[in-house]
Amino acid sequence: MDNAQGLTWRKQASGIWSAKLGSPPELNPLSVTGMKPKLTALERMNTAELPFSLEEIETERTSGGWMLRIPLTQHEQVYGFGLQFMKMNHRGRTRYLRVNSDPKQDTGESHAPVPFYVTDRGYGLLINTARIVTVHCGSTVRRGERSEGEARDRNSDSHWKATPDSGKIEILLPMEGAEIVLFAGETMLDVVRRYNLFSGGGTLPPRWGLGFWHRVPTGYDSSDVIREALEFRERGIPCDVIGLEPGWHSKSYPVTFDWSPERFPNPAEFMKTMEKMGFRVNLWEHPYVSPEAEGYEDVAGLSGNYSVWGGAAPDYSLPEVQDWYSGLHERKHADIGIAGYKLDECDGSELTGHSWMFPAHARFPSGYDGEQMRQLYGLLLQQLTSGLFRRRNRRTYGLVRASNAGAAPLPYVLYSDLYDHRQFVRALCNSSFSGLLWTPEVRSAANAEDWVRRMQTVCFSPLAMLNAWGDGTKPWSYPEAEPIVRRYIKLRMRLIPYLYSVFAQYDAEGTPPFLAMPLIPDRGPARRKNTEGRGGTVPDTAEGAYGRSGGDLWDDQYMIGGSLLVAPMFAGETSRKVYLPEGVWYGLETGERWTGGQAIHIQASLDRIPVFVRDGAVLPLMPALPAVPRAGERVPLDIYHFGESPGRFLLYEDDGETFDYEQGDCAWRTLEVRKRDDGTFAGSVSGHPDPKASGYESFRWHFAQTRLTMDD
Amino acid sequence: MDNAQGLTWRKQASGIWSAKLGSPPELNPLSVTGMKPKLTALERMNTAELPFSLEEIETERTSGGWMLRIPLTQHEQVYGFGLQFMKMNHRGRTRYLRVNSDPKQDTGESHAPVPFYVTDRGYGLLINTARIVTVHCGSTVRRGERSEGEARDRNSDSHWKATPDSGKIEILLPMEGAEIVLFAGETMLDVVRRYNLFSGGGTLPPRWGLGFWHRVPTGYDSSDVIREALEFRERGIPCDVIGLEPGWHSKSYPVTFDWSPERFPNPAEFMKTMEKMGFRVNLWEHPYVSPEAEGYEDVAGLSGNYSVWGGAAPDYSLPEVQDWYSGLHERKHADIGIAGYKLDECDGSELTGHSWMFPAHARFPSGYDGEQMRQLYGLLLQQLTSGLFRRRNRRTYGLVRASNAGAAPLPYVLYSDLYDHRQFVRALCNSSFSGLLWTPEVRSAANAEDWVRRMQTVCFSPLAMLNAWGDGTKPWSYPEAEPIVRRYIKLRMRLIPYLYSVFAQYDAEGTPPFLAMPLIPDRGPARRKNTEGRGGTVPDTAEGAYGRSGGDLWDDQYMIGGSLLVAPMFAGETSRKVYLPEGVWYGLETGERWTGGQAIHIQASLDRIPVFVRDGAVLPLMPALPAVPRAGERVPLDIYHFGESPGRFLLYEDDGETFDYEQGDCAWRTLEVRKRDDGTFAGSVSGHPDPKASGYESFRWHFAQTRLTMDD
């Protein structure tokens, strides 16, 4: 049992080391995405060393598999593990990283439980495995180790706490072993950037993906869809993507992948109409194949030995299955202009009334089992569908309900059947630690206030979407709230030059476009150095701004790029606390000036979501068009400079739709605001536009602003 | 992987067969309890065969362990799996049977997840293992098997459902294998009786255990306890047991097992006072040993290699540890008259703020690991503490928060930190399928109505207890409700001759004292034969009485013995539906006459819990004394006969405190009511009282009653 084994570490790039424990199988998250690390970008980063020596990592054989033991210091905080709804800092918790559609308890299970974490001591660790991993984040204490003997008395000791002080993170790896990858970084952000670049860099969505999305109700036919799309134009509400939900298929549980002849008798004609109206179309589907699907007979033999909803669960790791799936999707969808997919139900559930998924003991023709396939199903489908568009030199952007490690380069955003607004914001924050994107999609609301608060949040998220599949809501469903909702959907459209540039940095530098607060460099009084760490900053959980009762490390606010801080409001609230990192900040719409490095208390009426802009920020904004410009279309740019300090912004341009940017067909232009000796400001734009880009025909500068002065 | 293996089945007793798969380790639930099957009682049962041939059971090696596949018919219902809060019928679910303190989702995890189920086709199956077992109760469908090809279309088919029609129960056993035991039975009740008798028969609590229990608040000292106990006597509220909570120990998290010198300076004196006042004392404790406990140095070396709350987690499977624990408990507790324990925290949790338990990969000196120890910890402690009293020839009755298979003979009742009243009733029902007992303990309440409804329920449960450890509530905490609460605590006391006899049948015949409705023989119109089964009855879930929307097989009502049916009310309700099995029934307190074999709708004001008595029932009741009689004390008996039919009841008597009944020092006397030719009734008592019994000095007959007419 004790059979400890030395790990042989190989340096993969500056600040990245890997080792293999046991004899891991060939199928794993990184083998599925098949991406190459972005070595050039990695080389450009600051060098960094691990905060401990590699010899301090212990391994041990246990009855259940391999155990890995990593040093953990006293105040060290642990973040990551993919999409997590309940906690941001996992210190003291045990995380059971199983793909599961019902993440209603704080176990670590989730739609996208990534076996990657980062700590504020300045390192990250990835277990590259298709199996379920259990991580004890300081929730275990071995007898005879550091904290042994700190027994307290709950009878009388007010300092007694259930969670022990542990000196180790313990990770239970599968019996067959796995690859372990370590990432160093001077800051947590650098660690996360290394992880993202090692995964192949972050995704750069097509520009239309950053517009507004609307999913129509289940059972709609083509004329229902066209009528509803038209209403967006008539009401002056921007919208780029219409999503079709169950009902467009001839059969949906299991699926045929083919159009319903009753509801969509002429899909090509339907798509032409949608394109003329300026809409992209996204199709809902799931992985389980109806016996009535084209090619079912062949694919059934290439499927797992358990059915789901009476359909086959294909072995999507097999090239033959991939060819069948891609061929069908190309002929039926991509050839007529479908822009992407919503990949549903690929996570699985065992709960009441929804016990569906092949079991862990299912066997697949590739030799892998149900546990491995379930952990990777979402990743396999993302890879397969995005590859389909890549071969046509078109970018896609879509939705997926399951993911895993290495997903940063995949153009997919996670969602869930859960619907707690606070959890949705926490999930958005947490996703930034592990190369994931999350949409706090709006479906319905308890009342107009809840509706507005949710719509405001989603407009400041990776995918701004109303998903009306079940409720049939529209942006104008609450007439009294329609003006507010329209204003924020328009503001979303205006922000696209900023958002798109921020995503381009995700691709190029690995910097998450949306960032949880612990990733933000800050030396304000509310933070202090991790005394045992080296360079990471750590919030003080015991007192000060981070100690507010019931809170958890400001998991209800986040940043978009380096300039915008979003602090969503929740129904029932008229005020909230916001932590502003050091420096000076302005209310984006209120113009109020705030000094950062502290928590502030703000009021916010229903017509405002609190968004803050850094002093010196340079925000490029475009007009609130009905839809984003197509490749080559040019629009005027308004450049807002905020506050008293000079500043700069790297504006990214390309055609917004293809992969030509990878061959250099793109431009990074610096928007620079200098302060003249007389105290006035001057702006300049460096470089030249990319000729194919859907770029900007003019630049209008607005210096020293304290709020957005554009029309509502 | 496919390496199927023939099982070699051995007949263990009439209607019981066992086989071993793989090479199971020696430690398992049945090895821990160490009980001998009650062969004589088993031989007295009707013979029964399995509803399928043993050859139909398939085994298969999978990547995760061994798989067992059992035939499942189309309408077969699956019950059991120990303490379950969310569901009664597990058909279509996947049960992950891990011991877990946070059973808030319907996964199968629970304080006492027993790997035993029974189906209405007339058989039961036990996996006798210390490892976590996963059971797919018809939630998996292999391609090519029965239901393959039944794909439906959720778009348009209202019959679409998420849960498939499966032809197999699939059970994932641990890699090392396990013993499998099959039980046949003409009815589900017979299957459960076989399981209980095979486990060693049901527990017979000391008679005082069936009285009222009160647990005092944490931190109380000896005079606080005495004062509170006295108040019960002063207010005329019966009470037999006072439970001490955290605070009586010198240290409690981890524990010393020794008295606090501040709060209990003279435990022996305290115990004498309590005894004089007629109270038994029960001590709260948990398994994790404080470094300040006597003998810690020795026991630490015999413990798992992980600490819990800074204390040692002893290997309670080792004789040396058992000796140390027993010795300490005898000297400190049993020698001065402590009557039993509440064994807390032996289940473990990974959730927020309560991440405590040795990990699954912990190693114990016996060679077993953390997974095995966690699954068995509750069982080990039950066995250890009950053995301690058995050696003194005294019965105990206590509380435990974790259990497993084979627990029927152990004198322990389960409880939880959960507090949903409906779930508490469902848990009481579900426990009856797997040899467990559960108390819907009362702690606090949202309001007086909730308080009364919970107090009424607990008075008709295996352990009638107010657990005021955290809230400091008393039976008189809601003054307006005190008369109602007093009346039901008194009724509980009156019912003890009935309850005690019903428990004696649990011991002798394996018949659960509290029974879920599917265990009740009934051929009423609301039930029909399982068309593919042989003799079992099955509720019709699609229509009729069992089809009420939102309901689940009458999991909110239960029977006590063969005569009483309890249908608790929940706060906010003034009426409810009750299913009455075939025959005639009377409202115990209302006298209303009902025809069974159907669901009825009843009204119930706050001062009444709906309890129904069968026509012909013979209920023995004793006076509502302050505490149950001690051994040898004799009280008068009132025998209530209900309705129009003759009837009989087996009255059990013994000393109520020792194990002498096992040597024949007990009496089974038949209370018989005959109908004379003139239509009047006559009663007789067969046999002689046991000379040592705390029996009955007189018998007063009340014939043809329709309600209880005793004073409130």
Side-chain angles (χ1 to χ4, degrees):
Chain A
M1 301 259 282
D2 225 332
N3 187 19
Q5 153 173 328
L7 290 166
T8 306
W9 292 96
R10 282 183 45 207
K11 189 164 186 167
Q12 295 282 351
S14 162
I16 305 180
W17 300 262
S18 77
K20 275 187 185 165
L21 191 57
S23 308
E26 280 175 31
L27 188 73
N28 58 54
L30 298 185
S31 82
V32 168
T33 69
M35 302 290 175
K36 297 265 172 297
K38 287 205 159 181
L39 292 175
T40 314
L42 282 166
E43 277 162 28
R44 253 186 260 124
M45 289 184 68
N46 291 336
T47 58
E49 292 301 320
L50 292 171
F52 45 75
S53 102
L54 290 167
E55 286 71 43
E56 288 180 68
I57 298 177
E58 301 164 20
T59 66
E60 205 173 300
R61 190 93 173 138
T62 77
S63 52
W66 286 99
M67 205 180 37
L68 203 62
R69 308 184 80 221
I70 320 282
L72 181 68
T73 58
Q74 202 182 351
H75 297 291
E76 198 169 342
Q77 311 292 307
V78 185
Y79 302 96
F81 299 118
L83 182 69
Q84 294 291 337
F85 295 93
M86 304 299 176
K87 276 280 157 199
M88 181 182 276
N89 173 14
H90 302 284
R91 173 72 190 241
R93 320 291 171 203
T94 295
R95 308 283 71 161
Y96 175 67
L97 300 173
R98 186 173 77 127
V99 171
N100 183 342
S101 182
D102 309 288
K104 292 172 187 166
Q105 278 191 296
D106 188 30
T107 61
E109 292 168 273
S110 123
H111 307 282
V114 178
F116 171 75
Y117 69 79
V118 51
T119 91
D120 62 355
R121 205 179 165 201
Y123 83 100
L125 186 148
L126 166 70
I127 308 294
N128 179 27
T129 175
R131 292 217 175 271
I132 298 164
V133 168
T134 301
V135 185
H136 301 273
C137 306
S139 54
T140 53
V141 179
R142 211 173 256 200
R143 280 193 309 112
E145 290 192 349
R146 201 185 64 197
S147 52
E148 173 75 316
E150 291 186 20
R152 285 173 168 168
D153 182 21
R154 191 186 180 180
N155 293 346
S156 54
D157 183 350
S158 64
H159 294 292
W160 186 89
K161 60 190 173 76
T163 304
D165 290 322
S166 165
K168 299 282 181 190
I169 289 180
E170 295 196 325
I171 309 175
L172 194 69
L173 302 187
M175 201 61 88
E176 61 221 335
E179 184 189 26
I180 306 152
V181 190
L182 277 164
F183 304 87
E186 234 186 294
T187 61
M188 283 210 286
L189 182 55
D190 274 358
V191 174
V192 169
R193 288 180 55 208
R194 272 203 173 78
Y195 167 76
N196 289 339
L197 290 171
F198 183 74
S199 303
T203 188
L204 177 60
R207 209 149 67 144
W208 55 259
L210 301 177
F212 190 75
W213 293 48
H214 177 74
R215 305 198 74 85
V216 298
T218 180
Y220 261 32
D221 66 17
S222 53
S223 55
D224 295 332
V225 177
I226 290 165
R227 200 177 311 118
E228 189 149 311
L230 196 60
E231 196 166 353
F232 276 83
R233 299 293 182 249
E234 288 166 358
R235 287 178 180 266
I237 295 178
C239 185
D240 269 276
V241 185
I242 293 289
L244 307 188
E245 290 283 319
W248 73 264
H249 279 135
S250 50
K251 293 284 172 68
S252 72
Y253 277 84
V255 292
T256 54
F257 302 117
D258 201 358
W259 298 86
S260 157
E262 293 82 31
R263 288 178 292 270
F264 290 84
N266 194 334
E269 204 58 43
F270 164 73
M271 288 302 298
K272 268 185 209 155
T273 307
M274 292 298 285
E275 198 182 332
K276 254 183 244 159
M277 290 163 63
F279 289 96
R280 318 278 169 156
V281 176
N282 174 288
L283 296 181
W284 169 94
E285 63 170 50
H286 67 64
Y288 314 107
V289 184
S290 169
E292 295 176 43
E294 188 182 316
Y296 173 81
E297 294 70 22
D298 295 333
V299 88
L302 301 167
S303 294
N305 62 337
Y306 285 81
S307 67
V308 178
W309 294 319
D315 189 334
Y316 287 109
S317 76
L318 297 176
E320 307 91 296
V321 171
Q322 298 183 350
D323 289 348
W324 159 80
Y325 179 92
S326 299
L328 197 56
H329 283 61
E330 281 177 12
R331 276 182 290 114
K332 302 288 183 180
H333 312 151
D335 282 356
I336 59 170
I338 288 298
Y341 295 96
K342 172 180 170 183
L343 304 167
D344 207 21
E345 317 281 26
C346 43
D347 41 13
S349 168
E350 278 78 22
L351 284 201
T352 304
H354 301 280
S355 198
W356 54 264
M357 182 36 105
F358 44 80
H361 60 259
R363 279 171 295 137
F364 285 79
S366 55
Y368 296 101
D369 65 25
E371 177 189 333
Q372 293 164 308
M373 276 293 162
R374 179 169 175 174
Q375 294 289 103
L376 295 184
Y377 234 46
L379 218 48
L380 282 161
L381 289 167
Q382 288 177 70
Q383 172 56 18
L384 201 45
T385 45
S386 57
L388 184 154
F389 290 102
R390 178 173 269 278
R391 283 195 297 280
R392 307 171 93 88
N393 192 26
R394 294 176 53 147
R395 278 180 263 165
T396 185
Y397 198 47
L399 294 140
V400 69
R401 219 172 67 193
S403 199
N404 205 315
L410 295 168
Y412 280 93
V413 181
L414 290 152
Y415 65 99
S416 170
D417 282 346
L418 300 181
Y419 204 51
D420 181 284
H421 192 182
R422 277 185 189 281
Q423 286 182 16
F424 270 27
V425 172
R426 190 183 294 118
L428 194 159
C429 299
N430 279 335
S431 297
S432 67
F433 295 109
S434 323
L436 299 179
L437 299 170
W438 161 262
T439 175
E441 64 169 26
V442 183
R443 296 197 293 267
S444 62
N447 49 49
E449 184 197 3
D450 185 36
W451 177 257
V452 168
R453 290 313 191 190
R454 289 176 181 274
M455 284 299 251
Q456 288 169 337
T457 302
V458 86
C459 285
F460 291 91
S461 83
L463 199 151
M465 181 169 72
L466 172 53
N467 176 10
W469 83 275
D471 301 291
T473 48
K474 334 281 174 206
W476 50 90
S477 280
Y478 291 87
E480 68 274 37
E482 185 182 342
I484 308 174
V485 169
R486 179 188 289 105
R487 186 160 54 82
Y488 279 104
I489 295 177
K490 285 186 164 185
L491 180 52
R492 167 80 180 192
M493 181 61 83
R494 286 175 183 149
L495 280 169
I496 282 180
Y498 179 77
L499 293 172
Y500 194 59
S501 299
V502 157
F503 265 98
Q505 289 186 334
Y506 189 30
D507 171 63
E509 311 279 350
T511 309
F514 291 75
L515 301 109
M517 296 311 293
L519 292 177
I520 307 303
D522 178 33
R523 289 178 301 273
R527 296 202 175 193
R528 58 173 174 67
K529 288 273 178 187
N530 178 343
T531 48
E532 299 184 44
R534 359 154 328 299
T537 58
V538 60
D540 186 335
T541 53
E543 52 186 358
Y546 282 76
R548 71 198 175 109
S549 82
D552 180 20
L553 302 168
W554 305 105
D555 57 358
D556 55 359
Q557 63 175 66
Y558 52 90
M559 289 199 64
I560 308 178
S563 298
L564 294 180
L565 188 153
V566 183
M569 299 290 296
F570 304 97
E573 295 183 347
T574 54
S575 67
R576 61 163 289 168
K577 281 191 171 179
V578 182
Y579 181 77
L580 295 177
E582 55 185 349
V584 169
W585 296 79
Y586 300 91
L588 177 70
E589 297 180 279
T590 65
E592 280 181 291
R593 185 181 188 279
W594 299 96
T595 303
Q598 64 179 343
I600 62 166
H601 191 88
I602 54 154
Q603 309 288 325
S605 57
L606 187 58
D607 61 338
R608 299 286 178 217
I609 176 174
V611 178
F612 300 85
V613 194
R614 254 191 219 282
D615 185 63
V618 178
L619 294 185
L621 278 80
M622 72 177 205
L625 304 172
V628 301
R630 302 248 155 183
E633 285 178 30
R634 291 183 178 269
V635 293
L637 200 70
D638 279 280
I639 304 169
Y640 280 78
H641 161 250
F642 276 79
E644 303 144 18
S645 311
R648 62 208 305 263
F649 182 75
L650 278 174
L651 180 71
Y652 177 77
E653 291 175 19
D654 64 15
D655 64 21
E657 299 189 5
T658 75
F659 290 94
D660 292 353
Y661 72 97
E662 293 181 343
Q663 315 309 325
D665 281 348
C666 66
W668 285 97
R669 308 180 72 187
T670 304
L671 306 178
E672 178 128 31
V673 175
R674 281 162 295 108
K675 200 167 191 172
R676 298 199 191 89
D677 291 345
D678 65 0
T680 61
F681 291 96
S684 63
V685 183
S686 76
H688 298 283
D690 175 63
K692 291 165 68 183
S694 44
Y696 307 102
E697 61 187 18
S698 61
F699 298 90
R700 187 162 54 148
W701 295 86
H702 309 261
F703 297 116
Q705 303 295 301
T706 57
R707 59 183 285 265
L708 266 197
T709 49
M710 296 172 76
D711 307 334
D712 277 354
Chain B
M1 301 259 283
D2 225 332
N3 188 19
Q5 153 173 327
L7 290 166
T8 306
W9 292 95
R10 282 184 44 208
K11 189 163 187 168
Q12 295 282 350
S14 162
I16 305 181
W17 300 262
S18 77
K20 275 188 184 165
L21 190 57
S23 308
E26 281 175 31
L27 187 74
N28 57 54
L30 299 186
S31 82
V32 168
T33 69
M35 302 290 174
K36 297 267 173 296
K38 288 206 158 181
L39 293 175
T40 315
L42 282 167
E43 276 160 28
R44 253 186 261 123
M45 290 185 68
N46 292 335
T47 57
E49 293 300 320
L50 292 171
F52 45 76
S53 103
L54 290 167
E55 286 71 44
E56 289 179 69
I57 298 177
E58 301 164 20
T59 67
E60 205 173 301
R61 191 93 174 136
T62 77
S63 52
W66 286 99
M67 204 178 39
L68 204 60
R69 309 184 78 221
I70 321 282
L72 181 68
T73 59
Q74 203 182 352
H75 297 291
E76 198 169 342
Q77 311 293 307
V78 184
Y79 302 96
F81 300 117
L83 182 69
Q84 295 291 336
F85 295 93
M86 304 298 176
K87 276 280 155 198
M88 180 180 276
N89 173 14
H90 302 283
R91 173 71 191 241
R93 319 292 171 204
T94 295
R95 308 283 69 160
Y96 175 67
L97 300 172
R98 187 173 76 127
V99 171
N100 183 342
S101 182
D102 309 289
K104 292 173 187 165
Q105 278 190 297
D106 187 29
T107 61
E109 292 168 273
S110 125
H111 307 282
V114 178
F116 171 75
Y117 68 80
V118 49
T119 90
D120 62 355
R121 205 180 165 201
Y123 84 100
L125 187 148
L126 166 69
I127 308 294
N128 179 28
T129 176
R131 291 214 176 273
I132 298 164
V133 168
T134 301
V135 185
H136 301 273
C137 306
S139 54
T140 52
V141 180
R142 210 172 257 198
R143 280 194 307 112
E145 290 192 350
R146 202 186 63 198
S147 52
E148 173 75 315
E150 290 186 20
R152 285 172 168 167
D153 181 23
R154 191 184 180 181
N155 292 347
S156 54
D157 183 350
S158 63
H159 294 291
W160 186 89
K161 60 191 173 76
T163 305
D165 290 323
S166 165
K168 298 282 181 188
I169 289 180
E170 295 197 325
I171 309 175
L172 195 69
L173 301 186
M175 201 60 89
E176 61 221 333
E179 184 189 26
I180 306 152
V181 190
L182 277 165
F183 304 87
E186 237 186 291
T187 60
M188 283 210 286
L189 182 56
D190 274 358
V191 174
V192 169
R193 289 180 55 209
R194 273 203 172 78
Y195 168 75
N196 289 339
L197 290 171
F198 182 75
S199 304
T203 188
L204 177 60
R207 209 148 68 142
W208 55 259
L210 301 178
F212 190 75
W213 293 49
H214 178 74
R215 306 198 75 84
V216 299
T218 180
Y220 261 31
D221 67 17
S222 52
S223 55
D224 295 331
V225 177
I226 290 165
R227 200 176 310 118
E228 189 148 311
L230 196 60
E231 197 166 352
F232 276 84
R233 299 293 182 249
E234 289 167 357
R235 288 179 180 263
I237 294 179
C239 185
D240 269 276
V241 185
I242 293 289
L244 307 187
E245 290 284 320
W248 73 265
H249 280 133
S250 52
K251 292 284 172 69
S252 72
Y253 278 83
V255 293
T256 55
F257 302 116
D258 202 358
W259 298 86
S260 159
E262 294 83 29
R263 287 177 293 269
F264 290 84
N266 194 333
E269 205 57 43
F270 163 74
M271 287 303 297
K272 269 184 208 153
T273 309
M274 291 299 283
E275 199 184 331
K276 254 183 244 159
M277 290 163 63
F279 290 96
R280 320 278 169 155
V281 176
N282 173 289
L283 295 180
W284 170 94
E285 63 170 50
H286 68 64
Y288 313 107
V289 184
S290 169
E292 295 176 42
E294 188 182 316
Y296 173 82
E297 294 70 21
D298 296 333
V299 88
L302 301 167
S303 293
N305 62 338
Y306 285 80
S307 66
V308 177
W309 295 318
D315 189 334
Y316 286 109
S317 76
L318 296 176
E320 308 92 295
V321 171
Q322 298 183 350
D323 289 348
W324 159 80
Y325 179 93
S326 299
L328 196 57
H329 283 62
E330 281 177 12
R331 278 182 289 114
K332 301 290 183 182
H333 313 151
D335 283 356
I336 59 170
I338 289 297
Y341 296 96
K342 172 180 169 182
L343 305 166
D344 207 22
E345 317 282 26
C346 43
D347 41 13
S349 170
E350 278 79 23
L351 285 201
T352 305
H354 300 281
S355 199
W356 54 264
M357 183 35 105
F358 44 79
H361 60 259
R363 278 170 297 135
F364 285 79
S366 55
Y368 296 101
D369 65 26
E371 177 189 332
Q372 293 164 308
M373 277 293 162
R374 179 168 176 176
Q375 294 290 101
L376 295 184
Y377 234 46
L379 218 48
L380 283 161
L381 289 167
Q382 289 177 70
Q383 172 58 15
L384 200 45
T385 45
S386 57
L388 184 154
F389 289 102
R390 178 173 270 277
R391 284 194 296 280
R392 307 170 93 89
N393 192 26
R394 294 177 52 149
R395 279 180 263 165
T396 185
Y397 198 46
L399 294 139
V400 68
R401 218 173 65 193
S403 199
N404 206 313
L410 295 168
Y412 280 93
V413 181
L414 290 152
Y415 65 98
S416 170
D417 282 346
L418 300 181
Y419 204 51
D420 182 284
H421 192 184
R422 276 185 190 281
Q423 285 181 17
F424 269 28
V425 173
R426 191 183 293 119
L428 194 159
C429 298
N430 279 335
S431 297
S432 68
F433 295 108
S434 322
L436 300 178
L437 298 170
W438 161 262
T439 176
E441 65 170 25
V442 182
R443 297 197 294 266
S444 62
N447 49 48
E449 183 197 5
D450 184 37
W451 176 256
V452 168
R453 290 312 191 190
R454 289 176 180 275
M455 284 300 248
Q456 288 169 337
T457 301
V458 86
C459 285
F460 290 92
S461 83
L463 199 151
M465 181 170 71
L466 172 54
N467 176 10
W469 84 274
D471 301 291
T473 48
K474 332 282 174 205
W476 50 90
S477 280
Y478 291 87
E480 68 274 36
E482 185 183 343
I484 308 175
V485 169
R486 180 189 288 107
R487 187 160 53 82
Y488 279 105
I489 295 177
K490 285 187 163 185
L491 180 53
R492 167 80 178 191
M493 180 61 84
R494 287 176 182 148
L495 280 169
I496 281 179
Y498 179 77
L499 293 173
Y500 193 60
S501 299
V502 156
F503 265 99
Q505 290 188 334
Y506 188 31
D507 172 62
E509 311 280 351
T511 309
F514 291 76
L515 303 110
M517 296 311 293
L519 291 177
I520 306 303
D522 179 32
R523 288 179 300 275
R527 296 203 174 194
R528 59 174 172 67
K529 289 273 177 186
N530 178 343
T531 47
E532 298 184 45
R534 1 154 326 299
T537 58
V538 60
D540 187 334
T541 53
E543 53 185 359
Y546 282 75
R548 70 197 176 109
S549 83
D552 180 19
L553 301 168
W554 304 105
D555 57 358
D556 55 359
Q557 63 175 66
Y558 52 89
M559 288 199 65
I560 309 178
S563 298
L564 293 180
L565 189 153
V566 184
M569 300 289 298
F570 305 96
E573 294 183 349
T574 56
S575 68
R576 61 162 289 169
K577 280 190 172 179
V578 182
Y579 180 78
L580 295 178
E582 55 184 349
V584 169
W585 297 79
Y586 300 91
L588 178 70
E589 296 181 279
T590 64
E592 281 181 290
R593 184 181 190 278
W594 299 97
T595 302
Q598 63 178 345
I600 61 167
H601 191 89
I602 54 155
Q603 308 288 324
S605 57
L606 187 59
D607 61 338
R608 299 285 178 219
I609 176 174
V611 179
F612 300 86
V613 193
R614 254 191 218 282
D615 186 64
V618 179
L619 293 185
L621 278 80
M622 73 177 204
L625 304 172
V628 301
R630 302 248 154 185
E633 285 178 30
R634 290 183 180 268
V635 293
L637 200 70
D638 278 279
I639 305 170
Y640 279 78
H641 162 249
F642 276 78
E644 304 144 16
S645 309
R648 61 207 307 262
F649 182 75
L650 278 174
L651 181 70
Y652 177 77
E653 292 175 17
D654 64 14
D655 64 22
E657 298 189 3
T658 76
F659 290 95
D660 293 353
Y661 71 96
E662 293 181 344
Q663 315 310 323
D665 281 348
C666 65
W668 286 97
R669 308 181 70 188
T670 304
L671 305 178
E672 177 127 32
V673 176
R674 281 163 294 108
K675 201 166 190 172
R676 298 199 192 88
D677 291 344
D678 65 359
T680 62
F681 291 97
S684 64
V685 182
S686 76
H688 298 282
D690 176 61
K692 292 164 68 182
S694 44
Y696 307 102
E697 62 187 16
S698 61
F699 297 90
R700 187 161 52 146
W701 295 87
H702 309 260
F703 298 115
Q705 302 294 301
T706 56
R707 58 182 286 265
L708 266 197
T709 50
M710 296 172 77
D711 307 334
D712 279 355

